[in-house]
């Protein structure tokens, strides 16, 4: 899949800054996925990575890494400007400006589509972020899954927002009413980091669910009463 990333490339940041670098990731994922669905490809390249140096003296530069399948864009932008914004709407607007300034010209250069076509696809992909309410919500482990007596149903739901990732277990009774909504995991919004929690949900019996990781020792039990 086409990958588009903005990377903070300034050195010696405070640690609390590094703990927030994931906050743009949900925008990047939705945008990249929608462009791929629209058929946008970059020939021999698979990714566009924008390196933000936070240096007003840095000149815009492009570099191609054929071995890595990467188009590198070196820019003066300070990633901290994005992190200092206080709402999803403001962050989305900043992300849109960055895309149109740096990504759209690269797509025109390296894809098979014309400038008007790319402009239309970029707008559609950006609109997808708003359409999804700035979040990615997905079901985990082929849920919903019914209890042995078929009277309850469990859903394991992943929610990726700018603020981070949550894994929740929702239980419904035979009338379709939600009786439990349990937060199991809170993690940074990076799909590589939270992937280890995207494991299995198992009904042990009619009153007990175990959710466990496929790749680590993590697990949680939910008692259903």
């Amino acid at each position: 899949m086409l990958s588009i990333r903005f990377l903070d490339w300034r050195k010696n940041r405070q640690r609390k800054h590094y703990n927030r670098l994931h906050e743009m990731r949900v925008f990047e994922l939705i945008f990249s996925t929608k462009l791929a669905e629209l058929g946008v490809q970059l020939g021999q390249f698979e990714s566009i990575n924008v390196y933000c140096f936070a240096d007003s003296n840095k000149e815009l530069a492009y570099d191609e890494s054929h071995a890595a399948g990467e188009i590198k864009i070196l820019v003066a932008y300070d990633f901290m400007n994005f992190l200092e914004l206080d709402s999803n709407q403001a962050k989305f607007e900043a992300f849109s400006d960055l895309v149109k300034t740096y990504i759209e010209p690269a797509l025109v250069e390296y894809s098979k589509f014309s400038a008007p076509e790319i402009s239309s696809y970029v707008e559609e992909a950006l609109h997808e972020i708003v359409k999804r309410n700035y979040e990615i919500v997905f079901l985990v482990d082929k849920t919903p899954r019914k209890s042995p007596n078929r009277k309850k149903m469990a859903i394991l739901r992943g929610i990726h927002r700018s603020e981070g990732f949550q894994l929740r277990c929702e239980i419904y009774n035979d009338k379709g009413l939600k009786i439990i909504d349990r937060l199991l995991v809170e993690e940074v919004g990076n799909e590589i980091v939270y992937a280890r929690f995207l494991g299995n949900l198992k009904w042990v019996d009619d009153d007990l669910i175990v959710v466990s990781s496929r790749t680590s020792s993590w697990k949680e039990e939910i008692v259903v009463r």
Side-chain angles (χ1 to χ4, degrees), residues 18-154:
Y18 290 110
N19 292 337
R20 297 182 57 203
L21 289 178
H22 63 87
E23 293 184 12
M24 190 186 286
R25 187 64 184 139
V26 66
F27 299 105
E28 296 169 340
L29 284 172
I30 297 173
F31 180 77
S32 300
T33 300
K34 187 62 179 180
L35 281 184
E37 290 176 359
L38 293 170
V40 177
Q41 298 178 340
L42 303 173
Q44 60 187 301
F45 299 101
E46 298 177 352
S47 63
I48 300 176
N49 291 326
V50 181
Y51 295 84
C52 305
F53 283 82
D55 181 356
S56 59
N57 294 319
K58 184 70 178 179
E59 294 184 1
L60 177 66
Y62 291 80
D63 188 22
E64 299 176 359
S65 176
H66 294 271
E70 172 193 16
I71 300 166
K72 299 179 180 180
I73 306 177
L74 314 182
V75 304
Y77 181 75
D78 187 346
F79 201 95
M80 198 68 174
N81 292 341
F82 176 87
L83 298 182
E84 289 174 345
L85 299 172
D86 59 3
S87 71
N88 279 325
Q89 177 65 31
K91 288 178 180 178
F92 169 72
E93 291 174 359
F95 179 76
S96 298
D97 289 341
L98 289 170
V99 163
K100 292 176 182 179
T101 301
Y102 302 117
I103 302 299
E104 188 170 325
L107 294 175
V108 172
E109 176 69 23
Y110 290 96
S111 77
K112 65 181 180 180
F113 297 106
S114 66
E117 288 173 320
I118 286 297
S119 180
S120 175
Y121 290 151
V122 164
E123 288 296 337
E124 188 170 348
L126 289 172
H127 178 69
E128 184 71 12
I129 299 173
V130 179
K131 182 180 176 181
R132 293 197 184 194
N133 196 30
Y134 314 111
E135 63 184 16
I136 299 171
V137 181
F138 56 94
L139 298 179
V140 180
D141 193 32
K142 299 181 180 179
T143 59
R145 186 163 292 151
K146 289 190 175 181
S147 59
N149 65 7
R150 316 294 290 177
K151 292 184 178 181
K152 304 183 188 80
M153 181 177 68

Side-chain angles (χ1 to χ4, degrees), residues 152-195:
K152 304 183 188 80
M153 181 177 68
I155 294 176
L156 197 58
R157 194 185 305 275
I159 306 170
H160 182 167
R161 301 185 176 105
S162 178
E163 299 86 352
F165 170 80
Q166 292 185 342
L167 181 66
R168 309 191 75 94
C169 184
E170 302 170 9
I171 314 296
Y172 295 82
N173 64 18
D174 55 355
K175 295 181 175 60
L177 298 176
K178 186 188 296 185
I179 56 176
I180 291 176
D181 187 351
R182 175 77 62 80
L183 174 62
L184 303 180
V185 171
E186 283 191 296
E187 186 54 274
V188 298
N190 183 302
E191 70 280 12
I192 296 174
V193 176
Y194 64 68

